[in-house]
Every structure is written in C-alpha cells, then in structure tokens.
Amino acid sequence: MVVLPVLFLLGSLFHCGCAEDGQTIGELLKNDAFSWEGPMTCKQWDCECAYTRQRGCCCAANDMFQLEDDIFKRIHYLWHNISTLKYRVHDYTDGVQIAFKATMDPSAATMTPGTTDSDPCFGPFNTNVPIPYSNVALNHYHGYNPSMGVFTAPYAGVYVFSITVYSYVKERNLLYHKVQLMRNGVAMTSVWENNREDFEDNAVQETVMELQKGDQVYVELMSGRKLCRYVQYNIFTGYILYPYPYPYHEEYDYEYEYEY
C-alpha cells in the first residue's frame, strides 16, 4: 500500500495498453487510487487533500510553503548582510585615501670635486644616507615628506611600497650601488649592483608590509655606493592596501544572525 499515493502521478505515464472493460492501465490505476478507503500512507505529507477533497491539491503543499518561507528568510538575511557589507566597506575606505609617488631631482647628482670627466652621481658617502625623492607627483593624505624623503603612516594597516633604482655610468666607470627600503630604521628589502661590470642597470622592488600609525618608511643609499646620471628615473611610491581595524558604528547591526 505504500505505493498507492504515487499511482496518480504514474497514471499519466501509462497511455498504452488496455485492461478490462476497455480501460487503459493509466485509467485503472487512477480509479483504484481515488477509490481507496483505507488510511493514507503518505507519512509526513498531507495527502488527505489530494485524495478526499480535491484532485488539484499537492501532497507536499505544506513542505512547499515551508520551503518558500525559508527561502524568503534567507533572501532577507542575505540582503541584510549585503547592506551591512556596504557600510563596512564605506567605513574601511572613507577618508583613507593614501598614496604617493616621488622621484629624485636631477640636481641631486653632482660631479666629483676636482674632476672634469666623471659622471654626475648621488654619492658616494661615508655613511648610509636617505635618498631625497624631492619631485612629488602624488601625495594623497600628505603622508610623504619630500624634504626628508620619509613616509609616515597616518593609519595602521597594510601598505604597498615600490622602489625603482636606475644608474648609468660612462664606459671607463663601473656601477656600484645598494639601495635599501627601510621601516623605522630596519632594512626590509634591497636592490644592489656589486659586480662592477655593468655600465647601466635598473631594477624594481615591491614590498607589502604592515605599519602602525606613525611608522616611518624611507629609502637609503648604503655608504660607499652611488647612483649616477639620470637619477630622475629613481622612483619611490607607496599606497595603503587596507587600514585596520575598521571603525565601529552602533547604528550598524553587525551581530545580526539568522539560524538556518
């Protein structure tokens, strides 16, 4: 008797074949189903509607209504989370637009005193020296100080910095430089040319690092090294990837949860 509730559904599949009195197998199955007088065997489904009141009822109607309610609640929950995410993104980025780009001034490279055929160079020095990227093309939020060549983090967060190092000398001279990206006096990464066999060289180094508010980042030339000719191709850039932690606003219900 367990299969009885599905006879009506199967009936439409049986249009071929005949039984007694000229009835098709499908008609016979449907008549037997509707003439059933015993208890329904639909378990959790409400088949009384389909078999005793009207043939258009669905045995799974209650489950369908419950599914509709669950889908509506989940859509509402999803929409709420999207709206909350909108405010979180706004809080993350509102007012936090930090980026800078600066290059060296060509006048930073000078001729070695007492010579006439040397290359104009920045350096060498007898100590490590911060590189003066004094030509500023971009300085959102004014975190970069061109007079000192130092970036000071206005916000705690994750930042991205890039240094482009370029140097060129005449054939009779040789390249010899080492440039370091510094954070609070500690070297984070470096670019160098030590073999003294090249006449021209360039390199780009990009670094992602965490900064606390007030941390300082700058680039320094190591002692005894030099950058020569076309020093304006030496570039220092940086920008904030994301700040943290994001501001909290009580009017945004961040703790809203829906139990599935």
Side-chain angles (χ1 to χ4, degrees):
M1 294 305 178
V2 177
V3 299
L4 190 59
V6 299
L7 292 179
F8 176 75
L9 300 176
L10 295 175
S12 61
L13 301 177
F14 296 93
H15 297 292
C16 298
C18 296
E20 297 179 358
D21 300 328
Q23 290 181 319
T24 65
I25 294 177
E27 290 173 343
L28 181 61
L29 289 173
K30 287 192 288 185
N31 291 336
D32 287 344
F34 289 125
S35 63
W36 174 255
E37 296 180 354
M40 295 293 102
T41 58
C42 299
K43 296 184 179 180
Q44 79 273 15
W45 285 0
D46 179 16
C47 290
E48 289 291 337
C49 173
Y51 286 95
T52 63
R53 292 195 291 278
Q54 64 180 47
R55 299 183 183 183
C57 289
C58 174
C59 293
N62 291 338
D63 288 345
M64 294 296 295
F65 293 149
Q66 182 62 47
L67 180 61
E68 288 179 356
D69 290 342
D70 289 344
I71 291 175
F72 174 78
K73 291 179 181 179
R74 295 188 184 200
I75 292 175
H76 179 267
Y77 174 67
L78 178 62
W79 179 256
H80 181 277
N81 278 358
I82 292 174
S83 299
T84 301
L85 179 61
K86 170 186 173 182
Y87 290 114
R88 288 184 175 182
V89 172
H90 177 77
D91 287 342
Y92 243 67
T93 60
D94 186 33
V96 187
Q97 300 178 6
I98 304 170
F100 73 93
K101 176 183 177 181
T103 61
M104 292 184 67
D105 191 292
S107 63
T110 59
M111 301 290 290
T112 302
T115 63
T116 58
D117 60 350
S118 65
D119 295 293
C121 299
F122 177 74
F125 304 99
N126 58 11
T127 186
N128 296 352
V129 175
I131 297 177
Y133 300 93
S134 56
N135 289 342
V136 178
L138 179 70
N139 196 9
H140 287 172
Y141 218 87
H142 303 286
Y144 178 71
N145 184 340
S147 62
M148 300 179 62
V150 176
F151 172 80
T152 303
Y155 283 92
V158 176
Y159 290 76
V160 179
F161 295 95
S162 175
I163 54 174
T164 300
V165 181
Y166 178 86
S167 188
Y168 172 84
V169 294
K170 295 178 180 179
E171 293 185 4
R172 67 176 63 89
N173 296 318
L174 296 173
L175 292 177
Y176 186 55
H177 61 258
K178 184 175 183 180
V179 172
Q180 297 187 145
L181 180 66
M182 310 293 292
R183 179 182 67 183
N184 298 332
V186 178
M188 305 303 297
T189 188
S190 60
V191 175
W192 65 89
E193 173 59 66
N194 283 339
N195 59 26
R196 307 191 189 196
E197 296 178 356
D198 298 330
F199 304 113
E200 182 181 24
D201 189 69
N202 72 288
V204 178
Q205 183 71 269
E206 189 171 87
T207 305
V208 179
M209 66 177 73
E210 292 181 311
L211 296 181
Q212 299 300 318
K213 182 178 180 180
D215 283 352
Q216 293 187 325
V217 178
Y218 58 94
V219 183
E220 69 177 14
L221 179 68
M222 299 294 291
S223 63
R225 311 298 181 100
K226 60 185 178 180
L227 297 172
C228 300
R229 288 188 179 272
Y230 313 118
V231 293
Q232 64 269 26
Y233 297 150
N234 287 268
I235 307 170
F236 182 28
T237 66
Y239 62 91
I240 188 168
L241 190 60
Y242 58 85
Y244 59 79
Y246 60 83
Y248 177 83
H249 291 286
E250 294 181 356
E251 63 267 29
Y252 307 150
D253 183 14
Y254 297 129
E255 303 301 324
Y256 178 91
E257 293 184 358
Y258 169 70
E259 296 295 337
Y260 290 103

